[in-house]
Amino acid sequence: MSNNHISSTEFANLCQSQIALISQSLGAMWSVVYLTEEVDKEGQSQLFPFAIYPQAQAQEFLELPAVKLSTILQALQSHSITQFLPDNLTSNNQNNATNPPQAESAETKQLILPLIHQETLFGLLVTGRSGREWQPRELQQVEEIARTIAIARFIEFQYQWTQDELAMEQNLRRIEQDRLDNLLHQLRNPLTALQTFGKLLLKRMLADDPNRKLAQSILTQGDRFKALLEQFEAEASKLPTGNLRVLRGNDSIPLLETRERDVDQSSFLLPSSLSQLDLVNLSQILDSLLTTAQAIANEREIKLINHLPSEIPKIEANLAAVRETLNNLIDNALKYTPGGGTVQLDLAENRNPPLVGIAIQDTGCGIPPEDQEKIFARHYRGVQAQGNIPGTGLGLAIAQELVTKMQGKIELISPNNLSQDSPGTTLIVWFPVSIDN
């Protein structure tokens, strides 16, 4: 049976009530609602009788085989529709006092109305009565009934399509959740191994070993990675799993309900309120980040210049969020600076309001004016997407979101004129200065 046979009790009742109205109000001997079915192997549309009036008392609706559209239209034109109807429809049932069914004859005045809505044929409404011609006002009433049935069928299709989409979405979310769970689980073993190797390496180094700081950075980054995993899993467990259920046929299936307004993209990096912000030492955060950045810069033959003073005014912020923001901005500058280029860090200050800024300048290809308004949008990479530098377009978006929630801002300058050969980009991340400085 085709999917088009799927229908709700409400739609069936509506069809039955509408064709009953034609008989009771307009004197029709019988009425049939045919609904379209899938196209057959010969490429012809088929229809099946869905609702028939009148029916014998205490008799359930008897479904007949599907019929080609061309066959039905030919039978209607030759007044031989009875061959496609149940026997009780054309038998002499005297129990129906209002409109007793009677055999069809050449005097039957038949109406054939297509059930069309938004240029889609959903079926046919066929009705007939004996003797009297259909008057314009009566024709208009039958047309309104056909239009009502067509719209109802369209709405039902839309409803069924929505339920299928919701069920598919549920299945995709389940698959993605399983993949994420597997990934998080598989990350733990290599992470534990890296932390263990880092500790062993550090123990074997002398205090004055120039590589000791690099080994310490490995442990620091491992601890940060582990903390992010734990925080992510904790927040993921709080997401609404929902009790929403959808109907599909006669079954009720659960649907994972996750509203975008209920999910904070970076909530696992931020406290729930500003009252939980701490006094943050930017110098300590940058010292750790620049150790890693220097190793990356050396490997890529990029000159990393640190013009930051040893003492930077403290800020009130979230430590993890500040570290994530600065890491993203420094990583972004190194990523888009070609070999032989320069990445430079400077301190910027603003008195009114009191802000401290970390300016990260590069000698990369710069950001075209047409991309600058969208550069902080999630997954937007602009012209960079056409290059061979991998990325997801999330680094600047995450940084912007975190800084904004800490009452700061990110300023974009491109070109920055740091180099005569390259336009370059400067990003200044501004944080409110702590009153305890």
Side-chain angles (χ1 to χ4, degrees), residues 54 56 86-96 99-104:
D87 293 338
N88 69 290
L89 188 64
T90 56
S91 64
N92 187 14
N93 184 356
Q94 298 299 330
N95 293 328
N96 190 328
N99 289 291
Q102 50 190 287
E104 186 179 34

Side-chain angles (χ1 to χ4, degrees), residues 138-200:
E138 295 173 327
L139 290 174
Q140 185 177 6
Q141 292 181 38
V142 180
E143 289 173 355
E144 286 294 332
I145 289 174
R147 195 159 26 247
T148 298
I149 295 174
I151 293 174
R153 187 61 170 167
F154 171 79
I155 293 174
E156 183 166 64
F157 272 13
Q158 290 292 98
Y159 174 80
Q160 291 172 6
W161 177 84
T162 301
Q163 304 315 303
D164 290 341
E165 288 293 305
L166 290 175
M168 185 181 299
E169 178 70 15
Q170 179 197 27
N171 187 50
L172 290 175
R173 291 192 183 199
R174 186 185 298 113
I175 293 173
E176 289 300 319
Q177 184 62 50
D178 289 344
R179 292 176 61 186
L180 179 60
D181 290 342
N182 292 342
L183 174 62
L184 294 177
H185 176 74
Q186 293 171 0
L187 285 175
R188 290 187 177 279
N189 288 338
L191 175 60
T192 301
L194 287 174
Q195 289 180 304
T196 302
F197 295 152
K199 291 177 182 178
L200 292 174

Side-chain angles (χ1 to χ4, degrees), residues 142-352:
V142 180
E143 289 173 355
E144 286 294 332
I145 289 174
R147 195 159 26 247
T148 298
I149 295 174
I151 293 174
R153 187 61 170 167
F154 171 79
I155 293 174
E156 183 166 64
F157 272 13
Q158 290 292 98
Y159 174 80
Q160 291 172 6
W161 177 84
T162 301
Q163 304 315 303
D164 290 341
E165 288 293 305
L166 290 175
M168 185 181 299
E169 178 70 15
Q170 179 197 27
N171 187 50
L172 290 175
R173 291 192 183 199
R174 186 185 298 113
I175 293 173
E176 289 300 319
Q177 184 62 50
D178 289 344
R179 292 176 61 186
L180 179 60
D181 290 342
N182 292 342
L183 174 62
L184 294 177
H185 176 74
Q186 293 171 0
L187 285 175
R188 290 187 177 279
N189 288 338
L191 175 60
T192 301
L194 287 174
Q195 289 180 304
T196 302
F197 295 152
K199 291 177 182 178
L200 292 174
L201 185 62
L202 194 61
K203 287 181 179 180
R204 296 182 181 184
M205 289 182 173
L206 299 176
D208 58 349
D209 193 318
N211 294 317
R212 186 177 180 85
K213 201 168 186 179
L214 288 176
Q216 185 62 54
S217 295
I218 293 175
L219 290 178
T220 301
Q221 293 297 328
D223 291 339
R224 172 172 170 260
F225 191 9
K226 182 179 179 181
L228 286 175
L229 284 178
E230 292 175 349
Q231 292 170 17
F232 179 82
E233 289 178 331
E235 288 297 324
S237 65
K238 299 176 185 178
L239 291 177
T241 54
N243 295 319
L244 179 65
R245 304 181 71 85
V246 297
L247 294 176
R248 190 179 184 186
N250 296 322
D251 299 325
S252 176
I253 59 176
L255 176 69
L256 177 64
E257 180 186 23
T258 304
R259 299 183 180 91
E260 185 176 354
R261 59 184 172 82
D262 294 330
V263 181
D264 190 339
Q265 302 281 5
S266 57
S267 60
F268 66 98
L269 292 174
L270 282 173
S272 58
S273 68
L274 293 177
S275 61
Q276 297 178 3
L277 298 180
D278 301 317
L279 193 64
V280 173
N281 188 329
L282 284 173
S283 297
Q284 291 181 355
I285 295 177
L286 286 164
D287 183 59
S288 173
L289 293 178
L290 289 177
T291 298
T292 303
Q294 185 64 65
I296 296 173
N298 291 342
E299 182 182 5
R300 299 178 183 175
E301 298 182 349
I302 297 173
K303 187 176 183 180
L304 180 61
I305 302 176
N306 181 10
H307 284 169
L308 295 172
S310 57
E311 294 293 331
I312 300 176
K314 293 182 174 61
I315 61 174
E316 281 193 3
N318 176 263
L319 181 63
V322 172
R323 182 188 293 116
E324 184 72 15
T325 297
L326 293 173
N327 184 74
N328 282 351
L329 297 183
I330 295 173
D331 179 72
N332 209 61
L334 291 170
K335 181 189 298 183
Y336 291 105
T337 299
T342 300
V343 173
Q344 179 174 307
L345 278 73
D346 295 277
L347 184 69
E349 293 186 88
N350 187 79
R351 296 183 179 275
N352 188 22

Side-chain angles (χ1 to χ4, degrees), residues 374-398:
K374 304 175 184 178
I375 201 66
F376 293 105
R378 295 181 67 85
H379 299 292
Y380 184 81
R381 300 190 67 206
V383 296
Q384 307 296 351
Q386 303 172 9
N388 57 2
I389 301 176
T392 60
L394 289 175
L396 293 181
I398 291 174

